[in-house]
Amino acid sequence: MHHYTRTLKLFCLAILLCLLFQPAMAQKTPVSRLSSSDSIKIETLLSKMTLDEKLGQLSLFASDWDVTGPILNSNYKQLIRDGKVGAILNAYTVDFVKPLQKMAVEESRLKIPLIFGYDVIHGHRTIFPIPLGQAASWDLLSIEKAEQISAMEASAEGINWTFAPMVDIARDPRWGRVSEGAGEDTWLGCRIAEARVRGFQGKGYADGRHVLACVKHFAAYGAPLGGRDYNTVDISSVSLYETYLPPYKACIDAGVATLMTSFNEINGVPSTANRWLLTDLLRKEWGFRGFVVTDYLSINQMVNHGNAADVKDAASLAMNSGVDMDMMGSAFLEHIPALLKEKKVKIADIDEAVRRILTTKIQLGLFDDPYRFCNKQREQTEIMTKESLDFARKLVAESCVLLKNDHQTLPVPASVKTIAVIGPLGDTKKEMLGNWIAAGQWEKCVSLLDGIRNKCGDKVRVIYEKGCAINDNELSGIDAAVKAAGEADFVLLALGEGGEMSGEAASRTSIELPGVQNQLAAAVVKTGKPTAVVLFNGRPLAISYLNDIAPAILETWFGGTQAGNGIADVLFGDVNPSGKITMSFPRNTGQIPVFYNCKNTGRPFNPDGPKDKYVSQYLDCPNTPLYPFGYGLSYTSFSYSGIKAVVVGNTITITSNVTNTGDRDGEEIVQLYIQDKVGSITRPLKELKGFKKLLIRKGDTVSVSFTLTAADLAFYHPDLKKYWEPGEFNAFVGGSSDKVISAPFKL
Ligand code: BGC
């Protein structure tokens, strides 16, 4: 009996320990846990800190080196000396950062080093394609490598914290920030988000060549009404859990060090004041152990939202919901002392936030060497290396998506003697960077024209005409463009948006080609010369007209430093394009939102059925997008056959053959979708559950196999519990969400 009681006690203790450590075990933190001496160091420091010094650690201010938003308090140097700053944003280069760090560790009373943050969104000096472009490569290793290079370059120039990845799922291309994300799909968004965290953070920061990542913007910032940036978000709980939350969670599970709140509200509560979001879900349920920073001034902006009477009230809401660091608002610094006296906030919460920030500084190694991210020699040798530039070029080519290619217009035939590059995006280095350009220098970019000239050498004559501006009404340049087309035997028509037409605060109500570019295209195509459009843009565009008239269209996004070279590799066939879009391109702006994983509705439209008025459709436009999620052509072609779905127990194995039916080797992104035919909650028509990117030699057939378990079929229910329901399913395999072969299975 005695023995039995002891065993029972031990058993209970073991369960208790498991429960206690469960969140920690679930998180794959890349950095080692704090040693007891580090914990003692933090507690000792904490015991010496005045309230102002504590609040200083919780405050992030911008330097005057770069500007990414409004500045309320420009006296950052004095604040550093006074110990009233925990981190600085928008400062880089060793020469600029080191003196600021010196101020902190030599002139402030407690000599606590600063963290330096920056928006390294798609490269630091070597700029890679915009994130939406990188996503189109579906190459998780390349995406991870791009972030690794970004971290290496940023950390050589004083930065140890990037405000990335942005993992906001978005279905409305009017929203300019779709350029910073991975597109419309949650499952793919999760995989890309994890890859980016791995790339930035590596296995820790011990090598000084990685940086803290910051997953943003928590949560659902990608769903502003009407696609207007900063607008209200209003979504159902099921859709929040199913569509929007998983990529943030994926980053937490990948060990992301920090998290940024979002500007928007959820259920009427701005994220920065949302205790359910920042404490109950993030900390208690998900086990997040890093620190939470607000978005830029988002505490102060709660006065505008109307959930706080004044900034003091907002500071109290933010502190009580679980915010650790105030970005740019001075709200904690200015108002927490009074709030504490009034017992509206607790010192224990302030101390806990300070602990989190000091812990991060220890993990970065800043207490051992505050200048470990300020290495002049690394700044000389690790930035824009040949290897990084070569990789950037490869990623540009991998991100390109061939949207149309009638009569094999592309690649540019070897017989071509004169090429006319025409259009407002043809000879610009500046626009190649897109938005969020970090420390990228446009002078070092390769324009499309440079890239074509580099490729052709003196074998081909390359002429250029601008034709029109990106975004005005001037038609006078079109005649010269038509003349240039007349002189050439191949035309590359460089059209699209300017780099700043997407990104933050860059929403558009019409996402057609801006200005008079359609007129330019019409005039040039009318010459009858073989023409390929090279498209530059930060979001899906509504280009039905262009699609109607142009024989070939290559989507190139904004490729960054090596844009022109990487695009030329694809245009001339040195690289066979393999990218697939991760966000549907609507036929026109009015069709938005249009995305692949939609529901059937009670009155679905059947394009093959009899004409019926009372179905879900528009009178003036088909329901399908112009180009669907997962779509992208190759210079070769692929066919799919022999799909099978075999169920053994709770495991489903789906196999299919894929044949390269063309006359070139090529890479294909083979996609797996699932449909749950009947659910207690209506299910999407298709949901991506896997993909494989494969090189298939011409004429070869390969067998592709995917394994799913029942857990992969789980979905959220109204009680927000996630589980799967037995029944009938369809498995689909194909090279695009709209071109698939299918096999049913039961589980
Ligand atoms: C953006 C964030 C960014 C921050 C700092 C904000 O306006 O929403 O994404 O990280 O500025 O530049």
Side-chain angles (χ1 to χ4, degrees), residues 233-274:
V233 166
D234 192 1
I235 45 182
S236 72
S237 301
V238 168
S239 130
L240 178 68
Y241 270 76
E242 183 139 326
T243 304
Y244 294 94
L245 290 181
Y248 310 104
K249 170 74 161 56
C251 289
I252 309 294
D253 291 343
V256 73
T258 70
L259 172 141
M260 190 185 291
T261 66
S262 58
F263 287 131
N264 58 282
E265 63 177 58
I266 292 179
N267 288 331
V269 184
S271 299
T272 308
N274 200 326

Side-chain angles (χ1 to χ4, degrees), residues 68-69 89-90 119 121 163 177 180 216-217 221 230 260 263 295-296 327 436 504:
T68 55
L89 80 145
N90 295 350
D119 290 280
I121 306 294
F163 302 123
R177 300 198 79 168
E180 297 170 52
K216 69 187 190 186
H217 306 81
Y221 178 45
Y230 315 131
M260 190 185 291
F263 287 131
D295 201 349
Y296 202 115
M327 187 193 291
W436 287 116
E504 186 173 353

